[in-house]
Amino acid sequence: MRSPCCLEDRALLLDAPFVTEFAGRRTRLKKQDPTAFLGRVSELLQKQPNWETVVEEWIGFGFESKFRHNYPLRNKKHDERRLAIFVKFFWYLYTEEDAMKYLRSQKLSGYVQRGPYVKEESIDIAFPESPLSILSDDSPTLSHNAAIVDISAIPAIDHHLSLLDVSEQHSVPEQDGIVPMVPQYEAHASTLLEGDPGASHCLPSNTLPREAFWPGPNASAAPTSPPQTRAVEEELPPVGPYAPNASAAEAEFMLHPRPKTPENPPPPKRGRGRPRKPRPVSVTETTAPAIHPLIRPRSPDRLPLVPVSLDNVVKVKTEAAEDTSVHEVLKNWLDRPDIKPAHEVGEEMNLVDLTQEPMLPKPPLHRLPPIWAKARQEVCEAFQWFRSYQGGVYQNNGTVKGYFLSAFSAQRDRFVCDGKLIISHGGGKAESARKDGPTVISKAAEDQRADDSSVRALLENYRRAQPLVLLIDDKYSSFPFDLSSRGVYMAVLGFYRIIHAWAEYQPSTSNANGRVVRWKFAFQWCEGQDEPWWLEQMNSMDAAEAGTAGVDATQSNQNMQVFAPVAVPITPSPLKPANLYFTCRHCGKDSPLVYSAKACLNPTCHVFWMISHNKYLPVKLDYNPDFLSLIDPRPLPISFCGTLLPKAPNPAPRNGITTSYAYSRGWHCRKCGRLACRSAWEHYQCPNCKDTLKIIGQIRPAIKFLSIQPPIPETKEGPDSFILDREGVKRYPVVVFNTSNRGDVATRLTFELPEDKGRIHLIKAPRMSNLEADSIFEAYQQQAADGTLLFRRWPLRSHKLRGPLLTNYFSQNSGETYQYVGGTDNTVPFDRAPSAVVQARDLIERRLKEALGVDHKFNEVLSAAYMEQQKMAFHSDSEKGLGPVVAGLSMGSPALMHFRRLLKYVGPDEARTNALTVILRHGDVLVMEGAGVQDCYEHTVVPCNFRIAATARWIQPNHG
Ligand SMILES: O=C(O)CCC(=O)C(=O)O
């Protein structure tokens, strides 16, 4: 639920539960006592996550602290009392009773009717019909309640800004480096220029010579600051040709404002005072611009094969919806044949919108992008600006580093000015569906809030003018070329700055309100980087189209002036050009003039998204053409320059340590631009062009890792070898035994799982055997480095990401095939197995004989190598034909091994905890005995640092 703006904030009636519960019940309930009904509404209201804040804020508008004192928060009785007053007040508002009278009648100690909020400032908003009310008995009474509509209280709203035509503006030919002025702007521009240099910031784009806007590298003096002024609403000049297209009434309203009487005071004067007289303006006039001179805005139709917005699709149904109520808007949407439940339209389960732009054929990509990938994991491991495996926003320390534009564009998303200006929705909370077995669980879309984590972080970038990196995938429909034509799944566009941020309503069939609040962001390319990589192809296509093919493609870019980073002061705050912003008189906040019609775009304002007293902005909205311009002349800050390309790894570090976290990360192939995971132990290799970088490290002796202490919690329950045994796990007394090395004594710990599911034995390494383990550990490293033993990261068989997903650790399999990791590709038969593996198997078999007295033979060994921070996730060894005993030798740094019940054995109200945790140290052998250990439990291993493990099994030959 949104926050109230005033005591009588009728806009709250548009939110659930009021919108769903009140609608259609006015006539019926007015005749009877609504107490029971309102009790139910209160209950529903308490299901809103922010209801307490809303009520508290509402109380803040009409009550003094005495009331808060008498009815303190977090007291059940008083919370109920506050809530009851709140609900009943809004019921009275809805039923058009005197709600204020109701408050007064309550004789609430501490109630005080506060100043200007009541009536004078608030717009009376007619309550539009919700989709639910269509079916209700008395719905007609709901529509267009014109009760207290005083048009004079409504700010000047330009309904007709839409009448500017982008294509018309851009079709004016350019002469001698001067971008011509569109005639309809001229008078307005000159008005603003008169006598006030600051006012010239209000100039629309493309009106002055480029050099005049902002000095280039050769300029003698840098301007002191970029344009910062903005218009206040009362003075806001029409952005479009207001008068000729305004209706008679509107024109009347504009031309003859209400007489100033004591009851009808003039709006407060802010800003620059008297309107100025128009004067003709010369196109050669040199004044600082509001609009960045790099603009060479392409009208969307210059990209003929690419759908630029959804509006085209919507148009069919909403042509008549120019000026329509939210109800009609929703109805149009709901009638659309192309609206399907989210889970039907998307491949990935996290959908952003109910609609998808149809992907029309696009021209193929001529060249590979400078930074690209075939899997999301490659990006997350190799590209420092985007490490988010899920979701589209990668944030760090409260700001966003990378933003991913994917398939599910929202209405009015844009890719304009050759991709130097991108408009996208951000911040999650979309309708989504996830599969739980055969069941699809769908979640309704919710309003995004400014304090949602992703939105907050994006707004922080906006406030600080901090650049971020944009990435796209092959399904991002607004990009003009087909990435998949060259096998590209994700590509990095470059550094952008958020130049505008605002909120809007979007229809949503899954939300009870029928619409949701979505935050939108306009990203502008930061100059100071090379030109966008896709421009060359765009320009060559343009040249071909214009019959000038063969001319150097970069020539068409000559008007793209690049600013020297040092010449321009960096202002780490948003720029708000006066011709693109106005101040809402209701909430006092600035809103950008995004569309052809003006509305407050602050979602907490009670006139949010409203075009007039009872109308929302229409579904079909044209952008204000000036808004689709590059406004920010600030280049990429020096500290960001050169940081886009991932650093090349050092394959031969001086200290010889190549098992640290940095070496587990991916790399960027400088030859073909591919981001790649490090999937082979002995080298980096580009999976695309096969360029290879050999890694030269030192063999690390086990002694380096002996002193590492695993993170043992203070609540440790056992001796040094285990941390806890819970859930009925039985612990047997320690057994001491002799090893075959004379004089060497070792110990064994045994745990029994409940219900006879099996046993876990931890055989602690005796001193002499540890020496044996030392040499096996080194043999493993030697053979992995020289390629005798191929440690690889293998693709997981099932996961939800696009592209392959490799295991977190490196592995090699010897003996029988092990389908779980790599299958036959990962397996060498024992007669060709590396000697380190054979030695490890022999040691394991011997240890079992000494500690448990069993003669067990194994025919398969999976060897796993973990670099710093790598681990093996929870799993059970459910290989077909698996024998009942699985035994593993640990080498290198210690690790924690946790066992827990499989989810299917955990009751619905039970918490799943680790039933047993043991510490595996260098030379230890862990034995899992009994099929139940795998059938009913799963295990994970989390090493503290570099570690190698050899796990031996017996697998029925030819089991696959
Ligand atoms: O000891 C290890 O590293 C993990 C072994 C394991 O869980 C397995 O191979 O299934």
Side-chain angles (χ1 to χ4, degrees), residues 507-524:
S508 164
T509 47
S510 71
N511 184 291
N513 289 342
R515 60 177 197 269
V516 282
V517 176
R518 284 280 164 265
W519 277 88
K520 306 276 281 193
F521 299 90
F523 301 90
Q524 182 186 312

Side-chain angles (χ1 to χ4, degrees), residues 207-322:
T207 51
L208 295 172
R210 288 195 175 80
E211 315 75 63
F213 287 140
W214 202 262
N218 302 327
S220 52
T224 49
S225 76
Q228 289 284 357
T229 55
R230 56 171 171 66
V232 287
E233 191 177 4
E234 292 77 15
E235 292 190 343
L236 185 80
V239 177
Y242 185 87
N245 298 292
S247 69
E250 284 157 344
E252 180 74 0
F253 174 55
M254 287 301 289
L255 298 171
H256 307 285
R258 288 185 300 158
K260 293 172 199 163
T261 62
E263 307 80 57
N264 183 15
K269 271 265 181 271
R270 280 178 280 175
R272 292 186 298 278
R274 259 181 334 110
R276 289 165 202 89
K277 264 196 263 150
R279 81 169 167 84
V281 67
S282 148
V283 287
T284 54
E285 190 144 6
T286 56
T287 320
I291 306 300
H292 193 289
L294 296 186
I295 314 158
R296 190 171 61 99
R298 278 162 196 259
S299 62
D301 54 13
R302 286 190 68 188
L303 309 174
L305 297 175
V306 185
V308 176
S309 86
L310 244 193
D311 295 352
N312 301 338
V313 183
V314 178
K315 206 172 175 177
V316 181
K317 278 278 169 193
T318 58
E319 248 156 13
E322 272 301 332

Side-chain angles (χ1 to χ4, degrees), residues 14 37 98 173 268 279 301 394 412 417 475 484 501 508 582 613 671 716 789 801 833 906 909 918 928:
L14 305 178
F37 164 72
D98 189 341
R279 81 169 167 84
D301 54 13
Y394 171 58
R412 298 186 286 275
C417 300
K475 294 185 173 180
S484 67
S508 164
F582 76 99
H613 56 284
K671 281 203 176 142
K716 182 170 111 56
L789 187 154
L801 293 182
V906 181
D909 301 324
V918 293
M928 295 180 263

Side-chain angles (χ1 to χ4, degrees), residues 701-948:
I703 193 162
K704 292 271 181 206
F705 304 98
L706 292 186
S707 59
I708 295 180
Q709 277 305 323
I712 301 174
E714 294 211 333
T715 52
K716 182 170 111 56
E717 289 164 24
D720 203 19
S721 325
F722 69 97
I723 296 170
L724 50 87
D725 46 351
R726 286 201 198 120
E727 299 191 352
V729 174
K730 187 171 159 195
R731 188 192 326 156
Y732 286 92
V734 176
V735 173
V736 180
F737 64 92
N738 289 319
T739 72
S740 48
N741 295 313
R742 210 147 29 115
D744 208 9
V745 176
T747 54
R748 156 169 72 81
L749 266 167
T750 295
F751 303 87
E752 188 165 302
L753 300 173
E755 297 173 27
D756 217 9
K757 290 289 185 279
R759 292 167 175 215
I760 312 288
H761 308 280
L762 176 63
I763 305 172
K764 300 291 298 163
R767 192 166 42 83
M768 300 298 283
S769 306
N770 240 352
L771 294 181
E772 208 176 334
D774 288 354
S775 79
I776 299 175
F777 184 49
E778 288 177 25
Y780 259 110
Q781 293 179 62
Q782 183 60 55
Q783 291 167 22
D786 66 24
T788 321
L789 187 154
L790 296 180
F791 268 139
R792 295 283 178 270
R793 290 171 66 198
W794 295 93
L796 290 174
R797 275 185 301 189
S798 76
H799 60 86
K800 289 187 178 138
L801 293 182
R802 285 195 67 197
L805 181 68
L806 305 182
T807 57
N808 193 241
Y809 55 91
F810 296 79
S811 68
Q812 188 272 353
N813 192 57
S814 297
E816 280 302 315
T817 51
Y818 189 50
Q819 297 303 334
Y820 184 71
V821 194
T824 43
D825 291 348
N826 188 21
T827 301
V828 290
F830 252 117
D831 51 4
R832 286 196 278 123
S835 61
V837 177
V838 178
Q839 287 171 37
R841 182 188 66 173
D842 292 350
L843 177 62
I844 294 168
E845 286 179 353
R846 201 164 355 108
R847 196 63 67 240
L848 254 71
K849 176 103 173 104
E850 293 162 358
L852 297 166
V854 290
D855 229 341
H856 206 88
K857 292 292 169 220
F858 297 103
N859 63 357
E860 182 266 353
V861 173
L862 180 76
S863 305
Y866 305 84
M867 293 186 176
E868 199 183 343
Q869 292 193 36
Q870 292 185 325
K871 62 176 188 176
M872 196 179 283
F874 269 110
H875 67 283
S876 33
D877 300 0
S878 49
E879 189 82 0
K880 258 197 203 156
L882 179 74
V885 177
V886 176
L889 168 67
S890 270
M891 291 164 283
S893 81
L896 295 180
M897 184 167 192
H898 307 283
F899 290 85
R900 70 179 185 193
R901 278 176 293 161
L902 287 174
L903 197 57
K904 58 185 173 190
Y905 296 112
V906 181
D909 301 324
E910 259 186 295
R912 186 153 66 143
T913 55
N914 291 332
L916 174 66
T917 296
V918 293
I919 302 170
L920 306 176
R921 294 185 191 277
H922 177 64
D924 290 355
V925 172
L926 185 117
V927 185
M928 295 180 263
E929 183 193 348
V933 181
Q934 312 298 341
D935 294 347
C936 306
Y937 285 80
E938 56 184 4
H939 54 275
T940 176
V941 176
V942 187
C944 299
N945 203 307
F946 174 42
R947 173 175 178 269
I948 293 178

Side-chain angles (χ1 to χ4, degrees), residues 66-82:
K66 199 164 152 199
F67 177 84
R68 292 159 195 237
H69 181 74
N70 290 341
Y71 294 94
L73 274 176
R74 316 234 185 287
N75 170 315
K76 194 167 179 303
K77 209 173 102 207
H78 293 139
D79 280 350
E80 276 168 14
R81 176 81 175 118
R82 284 159 165 260

